[in-house]
Amino acid sequence: MDDRFGNDAFWDLVPPQKEKGETVPRKDTSTVEIHIGGDRPLRKLPSSRVFTLRQEKESPKLLLSYEPKDSMLRAVRVYAWPERYGFYEDFLRDAHRYFPERGVKTPPLPFFAYTPQYSHLTRAQLAYYLYFRTQIREEGQYPPADFSYVMLLIYEILNLPDLIPPARGAELLGGIWYYYRETYRQLDKYLGEWLCDYCLIHRVAPPQVVVREIVPQLGERVALREFYTDFEENLSGSATAFLASPYQYRNSRYYKENSDLFDRHITGALDEAFARMKEDGTSPLTDFSLMRGKITRDAYCGAVCAMSNKRKLEIEYLSFSRSPEFRETVGLMVKYAENRVRAHLHIKSRLGARGAGHWRTYIDDYFAKHLPAPTASASSRASREPVDTSYERFYDAPPSTLKITSAAAIEADSWGTTELLNAAFDEEQTVEIEPIVPKKTPEPPAPPAPAPAEDDLFEGRMTPFYREALRAAAEGRFPAYCREASRLADAVLDEINEIAAETMGDIVLDADHTILEDYKEEVLSWICKTQ
Amino acid sequence: MDMQNAVNETKIPKRVLSAILSGMSAGIVPRSGAQYIAIGRRAEIAAMLSDLEKISDGGGAMRFLIGRYGSGKTFLIQLIRMYALEQGFLTADCDLSPERRLSSSSGGGAATYRELMKNFASKASPDGGALGPVLSRWLSGIRSDVAASGLEPDTAPFEDEVRTRIYKTVRNLEGAVGGFDFSAVLHAYYRASLDGDDEKQSAAVRWLRGEFATKTEARAALGFSVGSVITDDNWYDYLKLMALFAREMGYRGLVVFIDECVNLYKITNRVSRESNYEKILSMFNDTLGGRAEGLMIVFGGTPQFLEDTRRGLFSYEALRSRLSEGRFASAEYTNLLSPVISLRRLSDDELLALLLRITKLHSTYYAWNARVSDEEMITFLKNALDRAGGNVMITPREIIRDYMTVLDLLYQNEALTMADLCKSGETPTASEVPAAPEAPTEERRKYTPEDITF
């Protein structure tokens, strides 16, 4: 049909395709029920034979949500584990079974397993494990044990919050960490994370022994350092120094011998500085506003943990690592405090700690009160104190009279020393000399001694091979000559030099396989003579 | 005064005599023949020779040679060093400095090791650089022994037997710290020597001398991975290995001389200084506790280095309790069984005895009768000692050098006498200096160019 302009529909295009994103199925995919084989219903397969091709992930179930007080953690949400697994159910069952057992004193037995579980223990090992656990649980003693026993006990504590009250569980974990970390340093890596998870899941505070004794040494070895530090009201110098500072003063080369001074005064100075900054409103926390961070972490990662105890955590916190200005300031404060300690110890080298801030004055005030720097007069007084030099008398020459007779006696006697040392030296081809015998009248000059036939002696020990080697050395082809003779050049050089040293008192070949200039003429003339 | 001396006839090689006189004229310890000018010190020398016997039997030893500047420490060190070389020991020596220490975190320890290896000496290479020749000689010796046992050289059974003997030697080293790498490098040296691969051979020697800074560099040069290179932390372990290897090769042991230890005393930082002293303590415990087979270490230092209770070795309690002689020590009786040998200054008579000896050596070498009487010799020595500050500051080195000059001049100038020389070289005392003439009162004459004649 023509349009209003009189054009026909020949050029009309088909209606446009549907918009992108909209798919139009080509075939009818609606479900149709069909029956096969009459009215007999289909055999129902047992559930164990039913496999879901793609298991859909369930949304994790929120179990707990809270906002910790006095903590750098602002919000914690604890979720159940979203995926099902059953390979630690046996462990959990065994843990419940053995929980009430008490152990008796047993000699220690070695035990090793990569992921220790009760089923890995022999009867004897189990007996020792129970004794070990009883000592820790009931006696507060920490007997020596292999690392696998320690890990087994940790796994047990993590998996039995229903039987071990969480506060008690945290205390046990803290004790295990404190007493065994010297022997098993890897505990820092594991318990640093697992204890954090355990406390967050069960809403308990970290044990004081951990905060006081272990955290200062952890530095950046724990992922969530903010968990281990109290917040603003109680922002402690020690925790901040260790957890927030990019510079760890415990790595200082002077720390080992002065650890007490370093620990006491650096943390003390920071404590005082933070407290005073908070009073005058210049706290670095308010100045720099710690940035918020949010992380999701799997609890007890790497541990033997039954599914019922496994959790997922979502934590919002005030982050040290995301607050570079705060970290930089704390780092400068730590370095500045260390410089003051170094000044007290008369250590001249200093860390670079430039930067403005009221904290310098506060740190100076602290050290002026608790650890004043030595005054110039005190240090110069110390250097002026007389040093005992009474030992010098042992090094003075003995008194003597400067008499020729005494000297002659000493000189004659010294030939004995010479003879003692000459035991190893070649005594042939020498010039005779007589010892000094002082006389009143001078003697007529002694006739000169006959010249020794040293070259003959050297020549006498030169084999034809050595002779040719010397010729080759003169011609600059010593290494090639030795190689042709299947001998190592350095070895032949060594042998010839040894003979020369014994017969002539000196070597003749240099390290570069050439004849020494001093002896070139002699050796060459000797070689020509023997041609 | 009548002398009662046994007549000793002693023979000196002429070349050695020449070396002695040249060395003394230059003020240095002669490279050979130092035993002929060893005056006094008999007990000290005997003590050190007995140490050499001890390490020859597989033990270890350590001595501290302590004396003021000019007391003869370096002379004694050179003397013992040359004796040890002649006796079939290997030696290594170095002087500590601000750059070379025993313990360091900036390469000072490794620098000391490299210096020791640079001065590694044997009888045939007494001036150092002996590591390559010693290794070559060792391999050559094994090949000679195997050939002497009847196997035809350059055949498969011959090479197998050589390889077996080499492996047997190096396997004994593997039990020591660093032994695996050490023996791997020795294997590499042997293989390179068989293949005529000078580059790999040189790389193996460089590793043994501690010249690689990183394992990567060592791997690139050697062609295989090594577990370690010689660093500040392990250089002493490799020194012990070298001593062990020296004995395996058939030498009697390794004697190490470390002089100028006063440089440790001068370290201002207490922690650094004490870490160096800790290293000395560790060496002391190893050598005297039987954990350093065939190794003798001799430290040379000043009395302050040893006995200063603020900065010396005695400031470090563990060393003080081991090295101090206690309340029975005195200047009269010295205990030479103690690790410390205190070198007192040579007495005036001993210095005079030295001049007597030098006179005789000079006369014999040049075949002339030195025109120096006993009284003139005494006068010369008195003048030297009485020079301003001379009684404290002058050293035997300077006296010998001056006396050699006097003898040389007398030898070359027949008309010259000792009295003439003493007078010309004498520094007048204040009473003998004539008073400066008074300035003339008349007007100075004015000179014109016409006064100058050519």
Side-chain angles (χ1 to χ4, degrees):
Chain A
M1 170 178 156
D2 293 349
D3 63 9
R4 60 189 178 91
F5 297 108
N7 298 322
D8 62 12
F10 181 79
W11 299 108
D12 288 344
L13 297 173
V14 298
Q17 293 295 321
K18 296 250 183 230
E19 293 292 330
K20 228 178 186 176
E22 267 185 64
T23 52
V24 178
R26 290 188 188 173
K27 297 177 185 174
D28 183 6
T29 58
S30 60
T31 303
V32 174
E33 189 174 333
I34 57 173
H35 293 280
I36 301 170
D39 294 330
R40 201 169 55 182
L42 289 170
R43 183 166 63 93
K44 192 175 177 182
L45 291 171
S47 59
S48 61
R49 295 294 307 279
V50 172
F51 298 104
T52 310
L53 284 177
R54 207 170 73 180
Q55 184 179 4
E56 287 190 12
K57 275 197 178 171
E58 301 167 6
S59 304
K61 181 182 167 192
L62 177 65
L63 298 175
L64 181 63
S65 173
Y66 62 96
E67 291 171 2
K69 288 187 173 31
D70 295 333
S71 172
M72 301 201 62
L73 308 188
R74 286 325 208 190
V76 176
R77 283 180 281 281
V78 181
Y79 295 89
W81 193 249
E83 287 164 4
R84 299 178 66 80
Y85 64 90
F87 37 80
Y88 288 137
E89 297 308 314
D90 289 343
F91 172 81
L92 186 62
R93 198 167 34 249
D94 291 340
H96 278 97
R97 180 153 63 96
Y98 289 119
F99 181 78
E101 303 278 340
R102 292 187 78 255
V104 293
K105 191 171 167 73
T106 311
L109 267 180
F111 168 50
F112 173 76
Y114 286 108
T115 50
Q117 299 175 53
Y118 298 99
S119 55
H120 298 153
L121 294 165
T122 63
R123 198 185 291 272
Q125 287 167 335
L126 177 63
Y128 184 72
Y129 172 72
L130 292 174
Y131 165 71
F132 159 76
R133 184 180 73 178
T134 306
Q135 287 291 297
I136 292 175
R137 266 200 214 164
E138 296 178 19
E139 309 293 333
Q141 302 292 314
Y142 296 84
D146 283 349
F147 184 61
S148 295
Y149 286 122
V150 176
M151 292 301 279
L152 181 56
L153 182 56
I154 292 172
Y155 297 152
E156 182 180 296
I157 296 169
L158 298 178
N159 281 274
L160 295 179
D162 48 337
L163 295 177
I164 304 175
R168 175 69 180 139
E171 199 184 303
L172 285 172
L173 289 173
I176 290 170
W177 193 2
Y178 178 70
Y179 284 102
Y180 289 107
R181 68 186 292 265
E182 280 300 318
T183 314
Y184 305 118
R185 276 286 171 192
Q186 58 269 50
L187 279 176
D188 285 354
K189 185 176 64 173
Y190 297 125
L191 280 174
E193 308 304 327
W194 296 343
L195 182 63
C196 171
D197 298 333
Y198 186 87
C199 293
L200 289 176
I201 289 167
H202 301 295
R203 287 189 78 170
V204 292
Q208 275 304 300
V209 68
V210 168
V211 173
R212 205 177 47 241
E213 306 289 343
I214 301 175
V215 162
Q217 299 168 31
L218 285 179
E220 297 194 352
R221 273 181 280 160
V222 284
L224 191 62
R225 289 173 288 162
E226 289 77 1
F227 166 73
Y228 289 105
T229 186
D230 291 336
F231 186 52
E232 201 164 6
E233 280 77 20
N234 299 318
L235 189 63
S236 76
S238 55
T240 315
F242 301 124
L243 298 174
S245 169
Y247 171 71
Q248 293 296 316
Y249 73 79
R250 289 195 175 205
N251 295 335
S252 168
R253 65 162 90 169
Y254 306 110
Y255 173 76
K256 199 172 158 191
E257 292 183 1
N258 305 288
S259 55
D260 182 53
L261 270 178
F262 271 65
D263 287 335
R264 193 154 27 106
H265 293 293
I266 292 179
T267 58
L270 257 64
D271 277 339
E272 183 151 323
F274 283 133
R276 290 183 64 179
M277 282 194 290
K278 192 180 161 211
E279 280 169 15
D280 64 18
T282 57
S283 166
L285 292 167
T286 50
D287 275 353
F288 298 119
S289 302
L290 287 175
M291 300 296 287
R292 273 205 179 218
K294 182 177 173 184
I295 55 164
T296 303
R297 56 192 267 154
D298 298 343
Y300 310 137
C301 194
V304 169
C305 183
M307 195 200 77
S308 55
N309 292 308
K310 189 84 169 163
R311 298 285 181 267
K312 215 176 223 346
L313 301 169
E314 217 172 69
I315 304 158
E316 290 176 34
Y317 62 104
L318 295 174
S319 167
F320 285 137
S321 54
R322 291 168 199 239
S323 313
E325 286 183 10
F326 174 72
R327 291 193 74 201
E328 188 188 346
T329 301
V330 172
L332 287 174
M333 290 169 75
V334 171
K335 287 183 185 178
Y336 190 78
E338 181 174 335
N339 283 345
R340 293 304 302 268
V341 175
R342 288 189 186 192
H344 173 78
L345 293 170
H346 301 279
I347 296 170
K348 285 189 183 160
S349 75
R350 295 285 183 271
L351 299 165
R354 293 204 181 102
H358 293 286
W359 50 265
R360 287 179 182 271
T361 314
Y362 301 146
I363 291 176
D364 287 341
D365 290 345
Y366 170 87
F367 279 98
K369 201 170 26 175
H370 294 101
L371 198 69
T375 59
S377 57
S379 57
S380 61
R381 230 188 348 261
S383 65
R384 279 202 303 268
E385 274 173 17
V387 179
D388 178 22
T389 56
S390 57
Y391 56 82
E392 290 284 354
R393 70 184 192 280
F394 293 124
Y395 300 94
D396 291 332
S400 64
T401 51
L402 205 57
K403 279 190 180 164
I404 197 67
T405 48
S406 311
I410 293 169
E411 193 270 341
D413 184 62
S414 294
W415 286 111
T417 309
T418 307
E419 286 305 311
L420 189 65
L421 290 164
N422 267 343
F425 290 87
D426 187 2
E427 295 181 3
E428 295 182 34
Q429 297 301 314
T430 59
V431 176
E432 287 191 20
I433 66 166
E434 289 182 359
I436 298 288
V437 178
K439 293 193 167 77
K440 286 188 179 157
T441 55
E443 284 192 350
E454 293 176 44
D455 286 350
D456 292 339
L457 194 66
F458 174 71
E459 179 187 340
R461 290 181 60 179
M462 286 289 110
T463 62
F465 172 75
Y466 288 148
R467 205 163 34 242
E468 288 307 310
L470 284 172
R471 195 193 308 280
E475 293 166 4
R477 52 178 186 85
F478 184 90
Y481 173 75
C482 294
R483 210 174 303 126
E484 282 164 22
S486 302
R487 296 289 305 276
L488 294 169
D490 283 342
V492 176
L493 181 144
D494 214 57
E495 287 159 18
I496 293 176
N497 275 343
E498 191 165 313
I499 294 170
E502 284 170 7
T503 56
M504 292 160 53
D506 202 358
I507 56 176
V508 293
L509 288 173
D510 207 346
D512 61 358
H513 310 122
T514 56
I515 303 177
L516 285 168
E517 281 301 321
D518 294 340
Y519 301 107
K520 208 168 197 171
E521 208 180 305
E522 274 183 63
V523 170
L524 286 175
S525 70
W526 171 69
I527 291 170
C528 291
K529 246 196 320 185
T530 56
Q531 268 180 337
Chain B
M1 181 181 291
D2 291 333
M3 299 298 301
Q4 291 177 0
N5 288 312
V7 173
N8 297 312
E9 288 191 355
T10 307
K11 301 171 184 177
I12 307 178
K14 193 164 183 200
R15 290 180 193 276
V16 170
L17 197 48
S18 168
I20 293 170
L21 295 176
S22 307
M24 287 194 296
S25 297
I28 59 173
V29 178
R31 197 164 59 70
S32 56
Q35 69 271 25
Y36 295 104
I37 51 173
I39 298 293
R41 308 285 192 221
R42 173 98 65 103
E44 291 87 348
I45 290 169
M48 296 190 73
L49 298 192
S50 79
D51 288 338
L52 290 176
E53 282 302 318
K54 204 190 303 181
I55 69 167
S56 176
D57 292 334
M62 177 178 279
R63 289 281 186 174
F64 293 84
L65 278 184
I66 303 296
R68 294 186 192 143
Y69 288 115
S71 61
K73 285 192 305 297
T74 306
F75 174 81
L76 202 53
I77 282 173
Q78 289 303 320
L79 193 65
I80 299 300
R81 190 182 82 87
M82 284 182 279
Y83 176 85
L85 287 175
E86 289 296 327
Q87 286 285 345
F89 292 90
L90 296 174
T91 70
D93 61 275
C94 87
D95 290 347
L96 297 183
S97 70
E99 294 77 33
R100 286 194 290 269
R101 297 180 176 180
L102 304 179
S103 171
S104 166
S105 56
S106 54
T112 299
Y113 179 84
R114 281 194 296 274
E115 184 72 7
L116 285 170
M117 288 300 112
K118 194 180 93 174
N119 297 327
F120 193 77
S122 67
K123 185 176 175 182
S125 303
D127 295 329
L131 190 54
V134 156
L135 288 175
S136 297
R137 192 146 178 200
W138 167 59
L139 292 176
S140 181
I142 290 177
R143 294 178 75 85
S144 302
D145 286 346
V146 171
S149 70
L151 289 173
E152 191 66 31
D154 299 325
T155 58
F158 178 88
E159 295 301 337
D160 285 344
E161 180 59 23
V162 168
R163 204 170 14 250
T164 303
R165 293 195 188 195
I166 290 172
Y167 286 4
K168 192 178 161 199
T169 303
V170 300
R171 200 173 300 131
N172 293 335
L173 304 175
E174 285 177 3
V177 176
F180 276 114
D181 286 331
F182 196 90
S183 50
V185 172
L186 289 177
H187 282 149
Y189 182 88
Y190 165 63
R191 279 196 302 274
S193 69
L194 275 186
D195 301 337
D197 188 344
D198 291 337
E199 210 176 303
K200 284 282 188 298
Q201 234 179 314
S202 165
V205 173
R206 284 181 60 204
W207 188 93
L208 291 168
R209 285 205 295 245
E211 291 177 12
F212 289 118
T214 62
K215 287 190 282 190
T216 311
E217 210 182 311
R219 186 174 62 231
L222 289 166
F224 63 91
S225 287
V226 281
S228 62
V229 288
I230 296 171
T231 63
D232 283 341
D233 294 327
N234 62 18
W235 70 267
Y236 171 55
D237 293 325
Y238 283 100
L239 195 67
K240 285 191 285 187
L241 260 176
M242 201 57 85
L244 208 59
F245 182 49
R247 287 179 58 78
E248 290 290 336
M249 284 191 289
Y251 293 94
R252 293 175 70 180
L254 174 65
V255 188
V256 172
F257 300 93
I258 299 177
D259 204 358
E260 304 296 346
C261 290
V262 69
N263 283 288
L264 302 182
Y265 169 86
K266 287 180 185 172
I267 297 172
T268 50
N269 180 274
R270 185 175 61 85
V271 173
S272 303
R273 192 170 61 242
E274 289 193 355
S275 76
N276 278 269
Y277 292 168
E278 271 167 28
K279 184 64 92 179
I280 292 180
L281 177 65
S282 161
M283 293 175 172
F284 183 88
N285 289 336
D286 281 349
T287 47
L288 295 172
R291 289 185 294 276
E293 185 185 323
L295 177 64
M296 177 171 174
I297 305 177
V298 179
F299 290 105
T302 59
Q304 290 82 5
F305 159 68
L306 178 73
E307 307 208 38
D308 190 313
T309 50
R310 272 207 309 220
R311 291 162 62 128
L313 287 185
F314 282 8
S315 67
Y316 195 70
E317 180 57 28
L319 280 171
R320 193 200 61 75
S321 59
R322 284 162 171 80
L323 300 179
S324 67
E325 292 197 312
R327 54 195 177 90
F328 294 105
S330 71
E332 194 184 347
Y333 299 107
T334 52
N335 176 16
L336 288 163
L337 293 179
S338 146
V340 176
I341 295 180
S342 301
L343 297 178
R344 50 163 186 74
R345 261 191 56 202
L346 288 180
S347 67
D348 295 348
D349 281 342
E350 285 169 333
L351 287 173
L352 186 57
L354 186 55
L355 296 186
L356 287 171
R357 178 69 61 87
I358 292 170
T359 307
K360 192 64 184 174
L361 294 176
H362 196 280
S363 299
T364 307
Y365 183 77
Y366 290 108
W368 75 302
N369 194 26
R371 300 190 302 281
V372 181
S373 67
D374 297 340
E375 290 71 26
E376 284 169 339
M377 219 178 288
I378 292 173
T379 306
F380 171 87
L381 187 59
K382 269 191 180 160
N383 286 344
L385 294 175
D386 291 345
R387 222 172 287 151
N391 203 29
V392 175
M393 296 300 289
I394 198 148
T395 64
R397 182 188 307 130
E398 284 150 14
I399 296 173
I400 292 167
R401 198 179 52 211
D402 289 347
Y403 190 67
M404 283 294 303
T405 306
V406 162
L407 290 178
D408 289 342
L409 287 172
L410 288 174
Y411 171 66
Q412 292 166 72
N413 301 280
E414 282 190 21
L416 197 58
T417 65
M418 186 70 174
D420 298 332
L421 280 171
C422 282
K423 206 168 180 177
S424 70
E426 202 173 74
T427 307
T429 59
S431 59
E432 291 172 24
V433 172
E438 287 181 2
T441 53
E442 70 273 19
E443 198 181 335
R444 282 188 178 277
R445 185 192 162 191
K446 287 189 173 59
Y447 287 92
T448 64
E450 286 74 26
D451 294 323
I452 301 170
T453 56
F454 292 93

